[in-house]
Amino acid sequence: YVCSTWGNNHFKTFDGDIYQFPGVCEYNFVSDCQDSYPEFSVHIQRALNSNNHPEIQYILIKIKDITVYLKPKLVVVDGRIVKTPYYSSGMLIESNDIYIKIYAKLGMVLMWNQEDALMVELDNKFNNHTCGLCGDYNGIPIYNEFIDGGASYNSITYGNLQKISKPNAKCEDPDETQALPSCNEHRDECERLLTSSAFADCRFRLNLETYIQACMQDKCACKGNEDSFCVCSTISEYSRQCSHAGGRPGEWRTQQFC
């Protein structure tokens, strides 16, 4: 029931596919797409920060008739800056130094770490009702997202299809013919990190292999720079998703690591 994005352009759909998409336009992250009157939509805009790492610049959320605009340390509801906790008909917004969280009575919880990681949990009444980077939530990986009828999409084509058209937006679509580099190195290190004793309670709650693959992609992309972003973002995501699934990750951060 959870869709998320984090770190080095990773996305995990409701159906469990993990893919990478490096676009820096505004995209439909997840929306209710079945009804003539959509109950909600979540758009995100990413950009590269000063360290050249992708971060979410803003999130634009519509819940029924309410519009919420989030930036780091800023919550705007229907054009007004508000203090949290903020309660409005059927919606609660909370924040602390790390997270902004929105609970919507219609069946959605959204959590953003005000940097790279966004997670949306949806009630299963929205099964088969969603579209966007999070996929269609039909319980079947790949189908309809990356294979549609006879056509198969790569993740960049799929991501580009989710762009919100804005007449004056200045952003380039990532090139669909340039496949993201595959990566077969760093498996031992990623496996060691993700199976450390701190994560003993997580192994049977999540698909470990998908996070190992994401960690390997991060290490390859960083080309040997010992940059904490390259390893910490996927391990943080694994820890968050484990907690969310009812697990209790131990203390894995140290003075020297993340």
Side-chain angles (χ1 to χ4, degrees):
Y1 307 139
V2 173
C3 168
S4 59
T5 180
W6 74 94
N8 189 21
N9 305 307
H10 298 292
F11 289 84
K12 176 183 163 294
T13 69
F14 288 115
D15 298 333
D17 284 310
I18 289 189
Y19 66 95
Q20 278 183 294
F21 174 64
V24 289
C25 305
E26 183 179 309
Y27 300 94
N28 174 14
F29 185 64
V30 56
S31 300
D32 169 19
C33 301
Q34 287 291 5
D35 301 322
S36 49
Y37 178 72
E39 290 201 46
F40 71 90
S41 65
V42 179
H43 294 176
I44 61 170
Q45 164 89 47
R46 261 210 167 84
L48 295 175
N49 65 14
S50 53
N51 299 325
N52 234 14
H53 295 318
E55 279 191 353
I56 297 171
Q57 281 193 306
Y58 67 78
I59 304 172
L60 187 60
I61 301 146
K62 274 196 136 149
I63 296 172
K64 307 271 192 182
D65 294 321
I66 303 171
T67 302
V68 181
Y69 176 75
L70 303 180
K71 288 188 82 155
K73 311 279 186 271
L74 181 71
V75 178
V76 179
V77 178
D78 289 337
R80 289 198 345 266
I81 295 178
V82 299
K83 285 193 158 50
T84 56
Y86 175 86
Y87 187 75
S88 166
S89 54
M91 179 183 74
L92 169 65
I93 307 176
E94 295 179 341
S95 67
N96 58 29
D97 289 344
I98 305 170
Y99 288 104
I100 297 180
K101 268 186 170 178
I102 297 182
Y103 301 88
K105 204 163 73 186
L106 56 78
M108 178 174 84
V109 179
L110 177 147
M111 186 161 122
W112 177 36
N113 71 349
Q114 307 189 67
E115 291 174 5
D116 64 304
L118 169 66
M119 173 155 88
V120 172
E121 181 180 19
L122 272 190
D123 193 289
N124 58 11
K125 73 177 183 192
F126 292 109
N127 279 138
N128 250 332
H129 272 232
T130 64
C131 61
L133 293 167
C134 287
D136 63 359
Y137 195 11
N138 68 352
I140 311 168
I142 299 179
Y143 280 91
N144 298 355
E145 284 90 28
F146 303 107
I147 300 174
D148 188 7
S152 65
Y153 296 128
N154 69 25
S155 65
I156 298 192
T157 312
Y158 181 71
N160 286 340
L161 288 170
Q162 316 308 323
K163 184 162 94 170
I164 305 298
S165 63
K166 298 167 81 179
N168 50 3
K170 302 237 184 315
C171 69
E172 293 290 311
D173 286 345
D175 182 349
E176 297 172 12
T177 61
Q178 296 295 309
L180 291 162
S182 65
C183 172
N184 300 313
E185 303 161 64
H186 309 292
R187 168 173 277 281
D188 292 350
E189 183 188 0
C190 287
E191 199 164 321
R192 180 176 60 74
L193 291 168
L194 288 161
T195 56
S196 74
S197 57
F199 295 124
D201 197 24
C202 305
R203 287 201 62 170
F204 302 107
R205 297 174 192 275
L206 302 171
N207 180 344
L208 176 65
E209 178 61 25
T210 51
Y211 293 95
I212 291 175
Q213 291 289 338
C215 166
M216 287 162 64
Q217 291 282 359
D218 294 347
K219 291 288 289 180
C220 283
C222 284
K223 300 186 177 66
N225 296 343
E226 274 314 308
D227 181 332
S228 69
F229 183 85
C230 306
V231 183
C232 299
S233 56
T234 288
I235 296 179
S236 303
E237 176 68 7
Y238 186 68
S239 179
R240 275 190 294 270
Q241 294 293 347
C242 173
S243 304
H244 200 77
R248 302 191 60 170
E251 193 47 72
W252 57 273
R253 295 176 188 274
T254 64
Q255 289 307 134
Q256 291 76 41
F257 185 71
C258 297

XYZ file of all heavy atoms in Angstrom, residues 144-226:
646
model
N 0.913 -2.875 -17.242
C 0.274 -1.562 -17.381
C 1.246 -0.423 -17.123
O 1.076 0.637 -17.692
C -0.950 -1.382 -16.476
C -2.027 -2.391 -16.815
O -1.877 -3.132 -17.775
N -3.078 -2.434 -16.045
N 2.260 -0.613 -16.268
C 3.240 0.453 -16.130
C 4.278 0.328 -17.253
O 4.428 1.215 -18.072
C 3.942 0.390 -14.774
C 3.088 0.907 -13.637
C 2.251 -0.194 -13.008
O 2.669 -1.355 -13.045
O 1.190 0.120 -12.489
N 4.994 -0.798 -17.263
C 6.115 -0.926 -18.198
C 5.796 -1.835 -19.379
O 6.546 -1.902 -20.329
C 7.359 -1.404 -17.450
C 7.715 -0.476 -16.329
C 7.495 -0.831 -15.010
C 8.205 0.788 -16.587
C 7.779 0.046 -13.976
C 8.498 1.680 -15.565
C 8.285 1.310 -14.256
N 4.676 -2.568 -19.302
C 4.210 -3.349 -20.444
C 2.743 -3.011 -20.617
O 1.943 -3.206 -19.711
C 4.370 -4.874 -20.201
C 5.842 -5.211 -19.971
C 3.812 -5.653 -21.379
C 6.079 -6.656 -19.587
N 2.395 -2.465 -21.765
C 1.022 -2.024 -21.980
C 0.580 -2.592 -23.322
O 1.054 -2.151 -24.366
C 0.995 -0.489 -22.005
C -0.432 0.036 -22.018
O -1.350 -0.786 -21.872
O -0.609 1.247 -22.198
N -0.303 -3.595 -23.295
C -0.648 -4.257 -24.556
C 0.608 -4.880 -25.124
O 1.325 -5.608 -24.449
N 0.925 -4.554 -26.367
C 2.128 -5.130 -26.980
C 3.362 -4.281 -26.751
O 4.471 -4.691 -27.079
N 3.178 -3.070 -26.209
C 4.325 -2.156 -26.102
C 5.003 -2.321 -24.753
O 4.345 -2.538 -23.745
C 3.836 -0.722 -26.242
N 6.331 -2.225 -24.747
C 6.990 -2.193 -23.440
C 7.773 -0.887 -23.342
O 8.377 -0.440 -24.312
C 7.901 -3.399 -23.255
O 8.955 -3.343 -24.173
N 7.713 -0.279 -22.168
C 8.368 1.008 -21.933
C 9.604 0.794 -21.090
O 9.609 -0.064 -20.217
C 7.463 1.934 -21.123
C 6.184 2.323 -21.786
C 4.976 2.164 -21.120
C 6.183 2.885 -23.054
C 3.783 2.548 -21.714
C 4.992 3.275 -23.648
C 3.796 3.100 -22.980
O 2.633 3.486 -23.563
N 10.622 1.634 -21.304
C 11.649 1.658 -20.270
C 11.235 2.693 -19.232
O 10.255 3.410 -19.399
C 13.051 1.907 -20.858
C 13.223 3.306 -21.413
O 12.541 4.247 -21.010
N 14.140 3.458 -22.352
N 11.981 2.745 -18.121
C 11.520 3.587 -17.011
C 11.556 5.068 -17.384
O 10.798 5.861 -16.847
C 12.365 3.325 -15.765
O 13.691 3.715 -15.973
N 12.424 5.438 -18.319
C 12.510 6.869 -18.666
C 11.323 7.272 -19.530
O 10.713 8.324 -19.316
C 13.863 7.164 -19.339
C 14.958 6.833 -18.331
C 13.940 8.616 -19.799
C 16.319 7.296 -18.650
N 10.948 6.418 -20.474
C 9.738 6.697 -21.262
C 8.551 6.798 -20.323
O 7.730 7.718 -20.416
C 9.466 5.548 -22.259
O 10.655 5.240 -22.955
C 8.389 5.926 -23.247
N 8.453 5.845 -19.394
C 7.325 5.825 -18.464
C 7.292 7.102 -17.626
O 6.248 7.734 -17.475
C 7.406 4.586 -17.556
C 6.252 4.514 -16.594
C 4.973 4.224 -17.051
C 6.426 4.788 -15.239
C 3.897 4.196 -16.179
C 5.348 4.753 -14.371
C 4.084 4.464 -14.846
O 3.019 4.450 -13.990
N 8.463 7.494 -17.108
C 8.529 8.713 -16.295
C 8.140 9.949 -17.088
O 7.373 10.796 -16.608
N 8.639 10.048 -18.324
C 8.329 11.231 -19.133
C 6.833 11.360 -19.403
O 6.306 12.465 -19.538
C 9.100 11.195 -20.455
C 10.584 11.507 -20.270
O 10.970 12.102 -19.259
N 11.408 11.106 -21.211
N 6.144 10.226 -19.466
C 4.691 10.262 -19.698
C 3.945 10.905 -18.530
O 2.794 11.306 -18.674
C 4.152 8.837 -19.883
C 4.503 8.120 -21.188
C 4.119 6.653 -21.098
C 3.798 8.796 -22.361
N 4.591 10.984 -17.372
C 3.908 11.508 -16.175
C 4.131 13.008 -15.975
O 3.740 13.574 -14.960
C 4.378 10.759 -14.905
C 4.489 9.264 -15.038
C 3.232 8.602 -15.576
O 2.125 9.015 -15.253
N 3.400 7.574 -16.389
N 4.788 13.640 -16.947
C 5.099 15.067 -16.792
C 3.819 15.906 -16.820
O 2.914 15.631 -17.596
C 6.040 15.517 -17.909
C 6.481 16.971 -17.768
C 7.708 17.270 -18.579
C 7.338 17.826 -19.932
N 8.527 18.353 -20.634
N 3.775 16.913 -15.956
C 2.662 17.859 -15.958
C 3.002 18.949 -16.965
O 4.057 19.579 -16.865
C 2.496 18.502 -14.556
C 2.342 17.415 -13.474
C 1.341 19.485 -14.549
C 1.137 16.532 -13.624
N 2.139 19.158 -17.939
C 2.514 20.143 -18.960
C 2.262 21.550 -18.421
O 1.162 21.888 -17.978
C 1.742 19.916 -20.250
O 0.371 20.108 -20.022
N 3.328 22.342 -18.406
C 3.247 23.725 -17.932
C 3.850 24.579 -19.025
O 5.025 24.410 -19.359
C 4.035 23.883 -16.625
C 3.462 23.023 -15.501
C 4.422 22.939 -14.347
C 4.340 24.161 -13.466
N 5.265 24.059 -12.331
N 3.078 25.489 -19.591
C 3.522 26.211 -20.788
C 4.876 26.900 -20.629
O 5.680 26.923 -21.542
C 2.415 27.235 -21.029
C 1.362 26.985 -20.003
C 1.725 25.815 -19.178
N 5.162 27.462 -19.429
C 6.406 28.241 -19.326
C 7.502 27.483 -18.572
O 8.496 28.071 -18.172
C 6.122 29.581 -18.629
C 5.345 29.359 -17.339
O 5.086 28.209 -16.979
N 4.979 30.428 -16.657
N 7.310 26.166 -18.364
C 8.329 25.423 -17.607
C 9.570 25.211 -18.462
O 9.476 24.879 -19.635
C 7.761 24.076 -17.173
N 10.732 25.433 -17.845
C 11.990 25.231 -18.564
C 12.642 23.959 -18.018
O 13.369 23.999 -17.042
C 12.934 26.411 -18.318
C 12.361 27.751 -18.738
C 13.277 28.418 -19.747
C 12.829 29.815 -20.145
N 11.397 29.951 -20.427
N 12.311 22.828 -18.597
C 12.984 21.618 -18.161
C 13.003 20.628 -19.307
O 12.058 20.548 -20.081
C 12.310 21.014 -16.922
S 10.700 20.333 -17.260
N 14.096 19.912 -19.408
C 14.273 18.960 -20.501
C 13.829 17.570 -20.048
O 14.119 17.152 -18.936
C 15.768 18.881 -20.864
C 16.326 20.155 -21.477
C 15.769 20.394 -22.871
O 15.799 19.439 -23.688
O 15.275 21.515 -23.126
N 13.175 16.845 -20.944
C 12.897 15.437 -20.654
C 14.199 14.656 -20.709
O 15.001 14.858 -21.629
C 11.962 14.844 -21.719
C 10.530 15.321 -21.559
O 10.211 15.858 -20.481
O 9.745 15.154 -22.500
N 14.418 13.734 -19.769
C 15.577 12.847 -19.911
C 15.459 12.062 -21.216
O 14.353 11.759 -21.661
C 15.469 11.912 -18.706
C 14.511 12.550 -17.770
C 13.639 13.465 -18.560
N 16.586 11.744 -21.821
C 16.616 11.073 -23.124
C 16.219 9.604 -22.981
O 16.863 8.834 -22.281
C 18.043 11.189 -23.681
C 18.169 10.570 -25.066
O 17.221 9.876 -25.500
O 19.204 10.783 -25.701
N 15.149 9.225 -23.680
C 14.629 7.856 -23.539
C 15.533 6.815 -24.181
O 15.432 5.626 -23.882
C 13.229 7.782 -24.151
C 12.267 8.680 -23.404
C 10.903 8.813 -24.053
O 10.609 8.034 -24.985
O 10.132 9.668 -23.607
N 16.400 7.261 -25.101
C 17.251 6.270 -25.773
C 18.493 5.964 -24.948
O 19.197 5.002 -25.205
C 17.695 6.783 -27.156
O 18.455 7.985 -26.965
C 16.502 7.063 -28.038
N 18.773 6.809 -23.953
C 19.950 6.572 -23.109
C 19.532 5.724 -21.916
O 18.992 6.241 -20.951
C 20.524 7.901 -22.588
C 21.051 8.817 -23.663
C 22.253 8.219 -24.362
O 23.192 7.805 -23.702
N 22.214 8.159 -25.678
N 19.749 4.443 -22.020
C 19.366 3.577 -20.894
C 20.219 3.927 -19.690
O 21.382 4.318 -19.832
C 19.570 2.118 -21.272
N 19.652 3.784 -18.503
C 20.445 4.017 -17.301
C 21.489 2.912 -17.214
O 21.200 1.752 -17.525
C 19.544 3.976 -16.068
C 18.574 5.162 -15.985
C 17.446 4.859 -15.029
C 19.313 6.409 -15.544
N 22.713 3.256 -16.829
C 23.776 2.243 -16.819
C 23.435 1.107 -15.868
O 22.906 1.348 -14.791
C 25.003 3.025 -16.324
C 24.462 4.259 -15.695
C 23.152 4.554 -16.348
N 23.695 -0.103 -16.320
C 23.422 -1.223 -15.414
C 24.635 -1.352 -14.503
O 25.707 -0.838 -14.789
C 23.206 -2.506 -16.190
O 24.402 -2.855 -16.848
N 24.456 -2.054 -13.416
C 25.523 -2.094 -12.424
C 25.564 -3.467 -11.796
O 24.556 -3.941 -11.287
C 25.226 -1.044 -11.363
S 26.334 -1.162 -9.981
N 26.720 -4.100 -11.839
C 26.844 -5.433 -11.240
C 27.894 -5.482 -10.144
O 28.280 -6.549 -9.711
C 27.183 -6.462 -12.321
C 26.097 -6.501 -13.377
O 24.925 -6.549 -13.042
N 26.475 -6.429 -14.641
N 28.356 -4.306 -9.721
C 29.405 -4.301 -8.686
C 28.792 -3.980 -7.317
O 27.628 -3.638 -7.217
C 30.443 -3.223 -9.007
C 31.078 -3.372 -10.383
C 31.710 -2.057 -10.802
O 32.657 -1.630 -10.116
O 31.248 -1.455 -11.780
N 29.636 -4.068 -6.299
C 29.294 -3.638 -4.933
C 28.240 -4.512 -4.252
O 27.718 -4.141 -3.215
C 28.802 -2.177 -4.902
C 29.722 -1.222 -5.600
N 30.972 -0.916 -5.125
C 29.567 -0.526 -6.756
C 31.546 -0.053 -5.956
N 30.720 0.184 -6.946
N 27.907 -5.678 -4.842
C 26.860 -6.495 -4.225
C 27.238 -6.876 -2.795
O 26.412 -6.776 -1.881
C 26.590 -7.756 -5.047
C 25.718 -8.756 -4.289
C 25.296 -9.931 -5.139
N 24.138 -9.602 -5.945
C 22.887 -9.583 -5.493
N 22.636 -9.854 -4.231
N 21.900 -9.291 -6.277
N 28.491 -7.314 -2.586
C 28.867 -7.809 -1.259
C 28.696 -6.726 -0.198
O 28.155 -6.966 0.873
C 30.314 -8.317 -1.244
C 30.452 -9.583 -2.086
O 29.397 -10.126 -2.489
O 31.581 -10.007 -2.345
N 29.166 -5.522 -0.551
C 29.076 -4.438 0.427
C 27.614 -4.091 0.730
O 27.222 -3.933 1.891
C 29.798 -3.186 -0.085
C 29.780 -2.084 0.941
C 30.313 -0.760 0.404
O 30.709 -0.691 -0.777
O 30.311 0.210 1.186
N 26.792 -3.991 -0.310
C 25.386 -3.616 -0.107
C 24.653 -4.689 0.691
O 23.858 -4.385 1.581
C 24.702 -3.397 -1.451
S 25.229 -1.850 -2.245
N 24.967 -5.950 0.384
C 24.306 -7.041 1.098
C 24.716 -7.024 2.577
O 23.888 -7.198 3.468
C 24.697 -8.368 0.449
C 23.766 -9.485 0.768
C 23.941 -10.675 -0.175
O 24.157 -10.482 -1.395
O 23.883 -11.797 0.344
N 26.005 -6.773 2.813
C 26.499 -6.728 4.195
C 25.791 -5.617 4.983
O 25.354 -5.813 6.114
C 28.013 -6.489 4.167
C 28.674 -6.407 5.533
C 30.191 -6.270 5.390
N 30.622 -5.093 4.649
C 30.594 -3.848 5.112
N 30.138 -3.592 6.328
N 31.017 -2.843 4.379
N 25.645 -4.441 4.357
C 25.018 -3.317 5.052
C 23.545 -3.599 5.355
O 23.050 -3.295 6.436
C 25.125 -2.052 4.195
C 26.540 -1.477 4.026
C 26.563 -0.413 2.935
C 27.045 -0.894 5.345
N 22.853 -4.199 4.384
C 21.405 -4.374 4.525
C 21.025 -5.621 5.319
O 19.871 -5.801 5.678
C 20.744 -4.414 3.139
C 20.698 -3.052 2.432
C 20.485 -3.215 0.934
C 19.600 -2.171 3.013
N 22.007 -6.485 5.581
C 21.688 -7.666 6.398
C 22.395 -7.581 7.745
O 22.531 -8.577 8.444
C 22.112 -8.974 5.692
O 23.505 -8.895 5.381
C 21.325 -9.207 4.421
N 22.850 -6.375 8.121
C 23.513 -6.238 9.416
C 22.497 -6.550 10.519
O 21.283 -6.523 10.300
C 24.053 -4.816 9.591
O 22.985 -3.935 9.852
N 22.999 -6.830 11.709
C 22.108 -7.277 12.791
C 21.048 -6.225 13.116
O 19.968 -6.561 13.598
C 22.928 -7.613 14.036
O 23.679 -6.464 14.405
N 21.321 -4.962 12.826
C 20.329 -3.912 13.102
C 19.037 -4.144 12.316
O 17.964 -3.695 12.718
C 20.904 -2.540 12.751
N 19.159 -4.851 11.182
C 17.987 -5.053 10.321
C 17.426 -6.469 10.410
O 16.681 -6.911 9.538
C 18.340 -4.730 8.862
C 18.684 -3.286 8.641
C 19.900 -2.923 8.078
C 17.807 -2.277 9.008
C 20.225 -1.585 7.874
C 18.120 -0.937 8.813
C 19.331 -0.593 8.246
N 17.772 -7.175 11.500
C 17.307 -8.562 11.635
C 15.784 -8.650 11.563
O 15.233 -9.620 11.029
C 17.808 -9.152 12.948
N 15.106 -7.633 12.053
C 13.651 -7.676 12.092
C 13.017 -7.268 10.759
O 11.801 -7.196 10.640
C 13.146 -6.749 13.209
C 11.705 -7.025 13.587
O 11.238 -8.161 13.348
O 11.031 -6.108 14.088
N 13.848 -6.972 9.764
C 13.322 -6.426 8.502
C 13.315 -7.444 7.367
O 12.583 -7.296 6.399
C 14.167 -5.230 8.064
S 14.294 -3.944 9.331
N 14.142 -8.482 7.499
C 14.411 -9.343 6.349
C 13.178 -9.971 5.748
O 13.085 -10.136 4.540
C 15.371 -10.468 6.740
C 16.753 -9.950 6.934
C 17.797 -10.976 6.821
N 17.904 -11.637 5.543
C 18.913 -12.440 5.243
N 19.856 -12.641 6.127
N 18.968 -13.041 4.085
N 12.220 -10.342 6.612
C 11.066 -11.062 6.084
C 9.882 -10.132 5.837
O 8.815 -10.578 5.457
C 10.705 -12.210 7.043
C 11.863 -13.143 7.227
C 12.590 -13.159 8.409
C 12.278 -13.964 6.189
C 13.699 -13.982 8.564
C 13.379 -14.800 6.328
C 14.091 -14.807 7.515
N 10.115 -8.844 6.049
C 9.028 -7.884 5.831
C 9.135 -7.203 4.475
O 8.151 -6.664 3.974
C 9.058 -6.804 6.927
C 8.816 -7.373 8.307
C 8.999 -6.313 9.374
N 9.050 -6.928 10.698
C 7.967 -7.219 11.412
N 6.770 -6.949 10.940
N 8.088 -7.785 12.592
N 10.340 -7.167 3.932
C 10.572 -6.431 2.684
C 11.295 -7.328 1.698
O 11.898 -8.324 2.074
C 11.447 -5.193 2.957
C 10.925 -4.176 3.963
C 11.995 -3.148 4.266
C 9.678 -3.482 3.439
N 11.259 -6.922 0.439
C 12.009 -7.649 -0.574
C 13.451 -7.121 -0.568
O 13.751 -6.090 -1.164
C 11.362 -7.441 -1.944
C 12.109 -8.183 -3.033
O 13.251 -8.606 -2.847
N 11.471 -8.341 -4.168
N 14.307 -7.840 0.135
C 15.682 -7.383 0.351
C 16.413 -7.132 -0.974
O 17.137 -6.154 -1.135
C 16.425 -8.441 1.177
C 17.913 -8.202 1.424
C 18.110 -6.956 2.267
C 18.542 -9.414 2.111
N 16.203 -8.026 -1.944
C 16.945 -7.946 -3.211
C 16.750 -6.598 -3.906
O 17.696 -6.034 -4.460
C 16.515 -9.095 -4.130
C 17.194 -9.093 -5.489
C 18.724 -9.238 -5.422
O 19.248 -9.803 -4.433
O 19.387 -8.783 -6.371
N 15.509 -6.053 -3.853
C 15.282 -4.796 -4.559
C 16.112 -3.665 -3.942
O 16.603 -2.797 -4.655
C 13.786 -4.403 -4.536
O 13.323 -4.461 -3.195
C 12.957 -5.330 -5.383
N 16.302 -3.711 -2.620
C 17.094 -2.657 -1.974
C 18.589 -2.875 -2.213
O 19.350 -1.908 -2.333
C 16.762 -2.583 -0.476
C 15.345 -2.115 -0.262
C 14.316 -3.033 -0.085
C 15.023 -0.761 -0.291
C 12.997 -2.612 0.072
C 13.712 -0.335 -0.137
C 12.703 -1.259 0.036
O 11.403 -0.836 0.172
N 19.006 -4.138 -2.305
C 20.415 -4.413 -2.655
C 20.704 -3.840 -4.039
O 21.723 -3.170 -4.255
C 20.704 -5.933 -2.615
C 20.656 -6.435 -1.163
C 22.075 -6.237 -3.232
C 20.797 -7.947 -1.018
N 19.783 -4.062 -4.984
C 19.981 -3.546 -6.342
C 20.051 -2.017 -6.347
O 20.878 -1.422 -7.035
C 18.833 -4.011 -7.258
C 18.837 -5.506 -7.539
C 19.982 -5.930 -8.444
O 20.541 -5.129 -9.189
N 20.363 -7.197 -8.360
N 19.171 -1.386 -5.567
C 19.169 0.085 -5.512
C 20.473 0.593 -4.920
O 21.071 1.563 -5.405
C 17.977 0.580 -4.686
N 20.956 -0.071 -3.873
C 22.222 0.310 -3.234
C 23.378 0.158 -4.227
O 24.255 1.025 -4.320
C 22.427 -0.558 -1.990
S 24.084 -0.522 -1.286
N 23.367 -0.931 -5.011
C 24.423 -1.129 -6.016
C 24.393 0.001 -7.053
O 25.437 0.547 -7.434
C 24.239 -2.488 -6.709
C 24.602 -3.674 -5.822
S 23.916 -5.251 -6.408
C 24.733 -5.465 -7.989
N 23.183 0.369 -7.499
C 23.049 1.479 -8.463
C 23.650 2.758 -7.882
O 24.347 3.501 -8.568
C 21.562 1.746 -8.763
C 20.859 0.669 -9.536
C 21.191 0.706 -11.019
O 21.946 1.565 -11.474
N 20.649 -0.228 -11.762
N 23.376 3.002 -6.595
C 23.885 4.224 -5.950
C 25.405 4.224 -5.935
O 26.051 5.223 -6.244
C 23.379 4.323 -4.504
C 21.869 4.516 -4.427
O 21.259 4.810 -5.465
O 21.314 4.372 -3.329
N 25.986 3.082 -5.557
C 27.447 3.001 -5.462
C 28.075 3.200 -6.841
O 29.082 3.893 -6.980
C 27.868 1.643 -4.893
C 27.507 1.439 -3.431
C 28.351 2.273 -2.496
C 29.777 1.775 -2.426
N 30.592 2.614 -1.502
N 27.482 2.591 -7.865
C 28.024 2.748 -9.219
C 27.927 4.203 -9.674
O 28.859 4.748 -10.254
C 27.266 1.872 -10.210
S 27.715 0.136 -10.134
N 26.785 4.824 -9.383
C 26.572 6.189 -9.858
C 27.568 7.144 -9.219
O 27.946 8.146 -9.801
C 25.148 6.629 -9.544
N 28.008 6.828 -7.999
C 28.920 7.733 -7.303
C 30.374 7.485 -7.681
O 31.260 8.200 -7.227
C 28.731 7.607 -5.801
S 27.229 8.436 -5.269
N 30.611 6.464 -8.492
C 31.949 6.219 -9.057
C 33.041 6.291 -8.009
O 34.059 6.959 -8.192
C 32.246 7.229 -10.163
C 31.253 7.162 -11.316
C 31.677 8.073 -12.448
C 30.742 7.977 -13.636
N 29.381 8.469 -13.360
N 32.781 5.663 -6.866
C 33.862 5.557 -5.889
C 34.012 6.744 -4.955
O 34.814 6.716 -4.036
N 33.251 7.838 -5.192
C 33.298 8.934 -4.216
C 32.694 8.424 -2.927
O 31.601 7.890 -2.930
C 32.455 10.130 -4.678
C 33.008 10.728 -5.946
O 34.150 10.466 -6.286
N 32.202 11.497 -6.655
N 33.393 8.587 -1.824
C 32.815 8.104 -0.570
C 31.871 9.158 -0.023
O 32.133 9.835 0.949
C 33.919 7.743 0.443
C 34.420 6.329 0.251
C 33.284 5.300 0.082
O 32.360 5.271 0.928
O 33.309 4.533 -0.893
